[in-house]
């Protein structure tokens, strides 16, 4: 039997990250590849207690829910958001299956096939899959340590007339970078001028290594959801746990209503059990204390990986310390192809993600993303040693 | 701020069922509208115990999972399926957020915008939204008590060259009908002849009122997933609980791989907590005993509603007893518009779903879907009395 698949889907490549994740399952490989939080830090006891509270309310908790999401959770989230300077009401919010689904639904309602989206260079890998699936073109904007470069953004807007700009501005994936406040304001101004909507994808914003580090979201710079050009996506995957698959979108009510309509067709609604558990957690668990704890721990792990890399004295390898999030972004020596390096590294028992797939265009093949949150101590040390060994072979060869 | 929405999405109407569900929330309205299972029968204690077992395994259970779904659950499900004559392996199966998502993903990978899908007349409302969202045309095939009429199906295939045929063949939504074995075989033969794939949507198949009632799925008539023209979708929403939002697709491995790719972009994966809970349930809970219990109870509720409707002696109102599932399908007197009736009924304190939105074309406006699973005893009696009163007003008027 010959099956005929949608042309858009046939062209879709599977995410390199997820494929490596799959390949390495069960193998004795030290993986810096996946964007995996540290599972030993998941608040499983608190989640169990929260679940118990949910179940105690009786069988009604297992009924169908609203597409928009569990109302008490949306109310609690709005309160949390307001503490971060983001004024939003429950009807300006849509609960989703992770922020990945929030991005997918938003791109679906805000673009037509053939439209263009501006993205960072490099950008979040799985956002590129979303764009491809919706038949949307991407235009990559030159970016540096401080974020997208406004002049390039304006030039690209004039040239491509994009509907959307998509970026992870705080502790970005893959680079870990933080956009400066000036850049945030400059990009906001430009997008306002040309009527380009912005998807501010912020799954990592809470994971900051210096608690004093104050980074305003674009959404907070806009002040409110109504008439805003910013739509914000958030997630509990990094702050609580990925298995609960709960994220959200927030923005103008008209956009949220449209996204709820398409979500209704896509899956009716996300897990109500997960949403109720999170609602109980927000009420009875010190989530902010928990986030502070994992942020401290992740900060230490980042420093440790940084120290190990420095110690390895890899010739021509450059990176910057991360201020938050989950990743270090490495520039390898000119001419070193990170995909070839990965094949060698996997044989030595360590995995990472080559940088190329994160580029919508003109990939820098000598870049790599290393996750520092999932391993500790000896495993991190052994992993970096194996990584250094692989690099050594390549630099010796060339 | 003027937002520009995707033209496909702008045209999308919200599901009438869901909108009524939303309107009636919190009001003292007896609703026969939603396709809601009886929440007092949900196995909440067993679910709580299952969740406990999951959490006892430690924090690792809260980590990211595979897009394809939790592997032990897929293995257990394959075993269950094989007992129903459906031979399938875990890599021929994709876990989804309810069977709604299974349909959405399958239509996405198996069609191009502009393609045609054959549907029943009437058909599942939210499937029509999926088709609209993917830019797919629908062609409705004349159907009767025994299912789609093969001659019409063949004629429509010749005329529209559809890629897909979609149907709920067992205890259908909205009609509650069961396709006869002859019709199943005839439609299979025709689809094989013309190379038309079939999505067999089977969320209700387990809820049969006569345990001896033997109804072969199309998937089982094909025998195996490989090279099959049938892709099957199932769900735990009706047999366990909707809040766990777990359904699945099964079919040829190549189709499942494509659907997993698009699901990865859509939401990475469905709730792993829900899937692990279901896996524990399948191991330690007598799910078949539970299904037998709810089926007996639903059968009694159907008979009770049937009896009440007969007793009300509504002139010109026709329906058939259901052999399973959740719905009675009523034909009202000629010229009676069920949407007008609904407005009147809601004022009297009862809701149902008018039949029109279930039709892809040529709606029969004098039809209505009544759910019999969600109410019992006095509420059902009061609801039918109010419904009869509303009808009385209309028939008196005309």
């Amino acid at each position: 039997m010959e099956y005929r698949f949608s042309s858009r889907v046939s062209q879709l490549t599977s995410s390199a990250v997820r494929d490596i994740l799959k390949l390495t399952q069960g193998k004795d490989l030290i993986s810096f590849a996946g964007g995996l939080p540290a599972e030993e830090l998941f608040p499983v006891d608190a989640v169990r207690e929260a679940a118990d509270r949910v179940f105690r309310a009786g069988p009604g908790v297992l009924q169908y829910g609203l597409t928009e999401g569990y109302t008490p959770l949306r109310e609690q989230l709005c309160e949390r958001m307001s503490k971060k300077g983001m004024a939003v009401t429950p009807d300006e919010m849509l609960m989703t299956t992770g922020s990945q689904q929030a991005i997918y639904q938003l791109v679906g309602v805000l673009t037509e096939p053939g439209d263009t989206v501006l993205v960072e260079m490099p950008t979040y890998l799985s956002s590129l899959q979303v764009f491809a699936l919706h038949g949307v073109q991407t235009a990559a904007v030159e970016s540096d340590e401080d974020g997208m470069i406004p002049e390039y953004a304006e030039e690209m807007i004039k040239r491509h007339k994009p509907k959307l700009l998509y970026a992870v501005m705080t502790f970005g994936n893959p680079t870990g970078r933080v956009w400066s406040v000036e850049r945030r304001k400059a990009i906001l101004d430009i997008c306002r001028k040309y009527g380009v909507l912005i998807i501010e994808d912020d799954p990592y914003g809470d994971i900051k290594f210096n608690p004093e580090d104050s980074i305003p979201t674009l959404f907070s710079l806009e002040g409110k959801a109504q008439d805003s050009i910013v739509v914000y996506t958030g997630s509990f995957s990094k702050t609580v746990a990925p298995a609960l698959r709960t994220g959200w979108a927030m923005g103008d009510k008209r956009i949220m209503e449209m996204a709820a309509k398409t979500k209704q067709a896509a899956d009716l609604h996300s897990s109500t059990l997960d949403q109720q558990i999170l609602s109980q957690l927000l009420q009875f668990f010190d989530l902010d204390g928990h986030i502070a704890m994992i942020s401290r721990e992740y900060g230490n792990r980042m420093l440790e990986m940084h120290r190990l890399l420095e110690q390895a004295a890899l010739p021509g390898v450059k990176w910057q310390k991360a201020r938050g999030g989950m990743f270090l972004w490495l520039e390898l020596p000119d001419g070193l192809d990170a995909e070839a390096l990965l094949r060698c590294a996997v044989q030595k028992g360590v995995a990472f993600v080559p940088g190329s797939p994160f580029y919508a265009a003109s990939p820098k093949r000598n870049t790599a993303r290393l996750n520092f949150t999932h391993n500790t101590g000896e495993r991190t040390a052994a992993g970096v040693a194996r990584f250094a060994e692989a690099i050594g072979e390549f630099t010796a060869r060339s």
Side-chain angles (χ1 to χ4, degrees), chain A:
Chain A
M1 178 80 194
E2 198 68 58
Y3 299 106
R4 290 168 298 168
F5 294 107
S6 149
S7 53
R8 224 180 263 164
V9 176
S10 307
Q11 287 159 15
L12 199 71
T13 52
S14 188
S15 146
V17 184
R18 306 274 310 170
D19 285 348
I20 291 170
L21 211 70
K22 219 174 141 182
L23 269 177
T24 58
Q25 272 219 344
K27 290 206 185 131
D28 180 33
L29 199 87
I30 296 169
S31 180
F32 302 142
L36 298 182
E39 52 197 54
E40 68 277 16
L41 304 180
F42 290 150
V44 66
D45 291 331
V47 172
R48 187 177 52 212
E49 274 168 41
D52 257 354
R53 280 180 197 276
V54 173
F55 292 131
R56 251 180 269 151
V61 302
L62 295 178
Q63 190 54 283
Y64 279 107
L66 295 177
T67 302
E68 292 78 1
Y70 183 59
T71 307
L73 177 59
R74 279 184 291 148
E75 287 165 355
Q76 292 164 301
L77 250 180
C78 287
E79 219 183 290
R80 276 185 78 78
M81 293 298 106
S82 80
K83 286 180 193 154
K84 295 172 198 281
M86 298 188 270
V88 59
T89 58
D91 58 357
E92 294 166 335
M93 188 176 266
L94 173 70
M95 302 308 301
T96 54
T97 305
S99 51
Q100 180 73 29
Q101 191 186 43
I103 302 164
Y104 179 89
Q105 298 296 335
L106 290 171
V107 173
V109 300
L110 294 170
T111 64
E112 305 277 358
D115 278 346
T116 298
V117 177
L118 293 193
V119 297
E120 293 172 280
M121 203 172 168
T123 188
Y124 172 47
L125 186 57
S126 295
S127 77
L128 294 176
Q129 294 184 300
V130 171
F131 303 134
L133 207 49
H134 285 296
V136 172
Q137 311 293 320
T138 47
V141 179
E142 197 74 48
S143 310
D144 64 17
E145 281 64 33
D146 293 321
M148 263 188 196
I149 301 169
E151 297 72 44
Y152 287 107
E154 184 157 14
E155 195 189 306
M156 296 296 259
I157 289 176
K158 284 182 186 163
R159 198 189 308 163
H160 296 287
K161 311 211 180 319
K163 278 266 184 69
L164 282 179
L165 181 151
Y166 167 87
V168 185
M169 288 123 186
T170 307
F171 317 133
N173 181 355
T175 64
R177 287 172 187 160
V178 181
W179 286 30
S180 69
V181 177
E182 293 65 35
R183 287 284 176 83
R184 287 170 194 249
K185 288 181 176 163
I187 292 290
L188 256 184
D189 285 343
I190 292 168
C191 285
R192 260 196 227 105
K193 181 172 163 191
Y194 294 94
V196 177
L197 290 188
I198 299 172
I199 297 182
E200 177 177 30
D201 186 16
D202 192 24
Y204 310 105
D206 280 336
I207 314 288
K208 51 186 183 185
F209 302 151
N210 175 1
E212 306 301 314
D213 210 350
S214 167
I215 305 162
T217 62
L218 265 71
F219 192 98
S220 72
L221 293 172
E222 278 279 272
K224 59 181 174 50
Q226 199 188 332
D227 285 321
S228 173
I229 61 160
V230 179
V231 190
Y232 177 99
T233 60
S235 174
F236 287 108
S237 291
K238 277 73 183 183
T239 53
V240 180
L244 300 173
R245 297 303 305 122
T246 303
W248 68 92
M250 54 198 219
D252 188 278
K253 199 181 151 181
R254 289 162 289 172
I255 300 175
M256 292 304 111
E257 278 171 1
M258 280 289 181
K261 267 191 204 178
T262 61
K263 180 169 163 60
Q264 185 178 300
D267 64 10
L268 297 185
H269 62 78
S270 297
S271 167
T272 325
L273 178 57
D274 292 345
Q275 291 180 64
Q276 291 176 96
I277 288 174
L278 284 164
S279 175
Q280 291 297 329
L281 267 186
L282 286 180
Q283 204 177 340
F284 295 102
F285 173 64
D286 178 14
L287 181 57
D288 290 322
H290 177 73
I291 292 172
M293 180 276 285
I294 57 174
S295 298
R296 265 195 314 276
E297 178 63 25
Y298 287 176
N300 291 336
R301 292 184 189 189
M302 183 277 296
L303 285 175
E304 178 63 7
M305 185 177 272
H306 166 76
R307 195 186 61 78
L308 289 161
L309 285 167
E310 274 203 324
Q311 214 170 42
L314 306 167
V317 177
K318 286 175 274 183
W319 70 94
Q320 291 200 315
K321 278 191 213 171
R323 282 162 63 190
M326 302 172 68
F327 305 111
L328 287 180
W329 180 245
L330 271 58
E331 206 172 305
L332 307 173
D334 277 346
L336 201 166
D337 183 336
E339 291 191 17
L341 179 66
L342 175 63
R343 280 190 291 276
C344 169
V346 164
Q347 283 181 345
K348 295 189 184 299
V350 65
F352 63 91
V353 187
S356 308
F358 295 97
Y359 288 85
S362 321
K364 287 194 185 166
R365 306 193 64 81
N366 62 327
T367 53
R369 189 192 79 176
L370 269 64
N371 165 273
F372 52 72
T373 60
H374 193 241
N375 295 283
T376 51
E378 282 177 25
R379 278 185 78 79
T380 306
V384 170
R386 292 173 193 181
F387 180 74
E389 212 183 297
I391 290 207
E393 278 192 21
F394 273 76
T395 43
R397 248 185 256 165
S398 58

